[in-house]
Amino acid sequence: MKISPVRAGAHIEGIHWIAEYAGDVHEIRILREGQEVDIHDAPATLFGDEENAGSKSCADHRAAEAAVLAYLRRFVAEHDAEE
């Protein structure tokens, strides 16, 4: 089952970050202030079993956004630690 694109964003330490999940290629694109920073293969466990559970509800979409936002926050923490 194909998941619609999921986009989540956050202001972290004054910088606007966005993560976009593309279900057709199972990738997450990371943007900082509108500029692409990186593209990662999404973890296989990003959505757990929900991805294969059937039709999506609003709660499922919110859960997907929360998963993408959690991924974004983890990426930013690791990215800032490297700098």
Side-chain angles (χ1 to χ4, degrees), residues 19-71:
E20 294 179 333
Y21 171 72
D24 56 342
V25 291
H26 199 60
E27 290 180 339
I28 297 177
R29 186 170 79 136
I30 306 291
L31 299 105
R32 177 179 54 204
E33 298 292 341
Q35 299 294 315
E36 187 174 290
V37 174
D38 213 340
I39 296 177
H40 296 183
D41 290 331
T45 58
L46 183 66
F47 300 118
D49 293 332
E50 293 85 1
E51 186 172 357
N52 300 317
S55 64
K56 301 292 177 201
S57 68
C58 289
D60 292 332
H61 188 73
R62 285 191 301 272
E65 285 178 349
V68 171
L69 183 58
Y71 184 90

Side-chain angles (χ1 to χ4, degrees), residues 8-13 15-19 30-33 37 72 75-76 79-80:
H11 279 89
I12 302 171
E13 295 188 17
I15 298 172
H16 188 197
W17 292 87
I18 296 174
I30 306 291
L31 299 105
R32 177 179 54 204
E33 298 292 341
V37 174
L72 173 64
F75 172 85
V76 171
H79 181 270
D80 286 353

